[in-house]
Amino acid sequence: MSMEILLQYVTYILAAVGVLAFFVSMITQVIKEMPGLRKIQTNAVALAVSLVLCPLAVVIACQYFKIVIVWYYVFASFLAAFVVYLVSTGGWEKVAEMWSRTKYKKK
């Protein structure tokens, strides 16, 4: 495998993690305000969303590219879900920290 192809695959993986982290963050923020989920920590909701969204994305990608779904694809997607979770929650915490530093107060 040449270095060019390897870098191309790494770029695709990083892009997929970024897109999935964005969707996990957005879905978490939307469903977090639902009545049954208000008492649950946001990090727990984000982890659950990530554990559902990542395997679903792998299955959809395999169907789209007509790849046979093998058990280790699904297992790897569960492992990748933790990376996506860490990226998505870290991003929101940084934004919330910057917002709180502005000392914005509602009147």
Side-chain angles (χ1 to χ4, degrees), residues 15-46:
V17 167
V19 168
L20 285 171
F22 173 75
F23 281 123
V24 167
S25 297
M26 297 309 293
I27 292 170
T28 300
Q29 292 302 317
V30 169
I31 68 172
K32 180 64 181 137
E33 299 301 320
M34 295 176 93
L37 297 175
R38 286 188 182 172
K39 296 179 182 177
I40 301 173
Q41 287 184 350
T42 305
N43 287 338
V45 174

Side-chain angles (χ1 to χ4, degrees), residues 78-97:
F78 279 111
L79 295 178
F82 289 102
V83 175
V84 170
Y85 157 74
L86 289 173
V87 170
S88 66
T89 56
W92 278 111
E93 289 174 4
K94 294 293 181 192
V95 170
E97 180 182 336

Side-chain angles (χ1 to χ4, degrees), residues 20 24 49-59 77-78 80-82 84:
L20 285 171
V24 167
V49 169
S50 180
L51 286 171
V52 169
L53 191 63
C54 286
L56 183 65
V58 167
V59 169
S77 71
F78 279 111
F82 289 102
V84 170

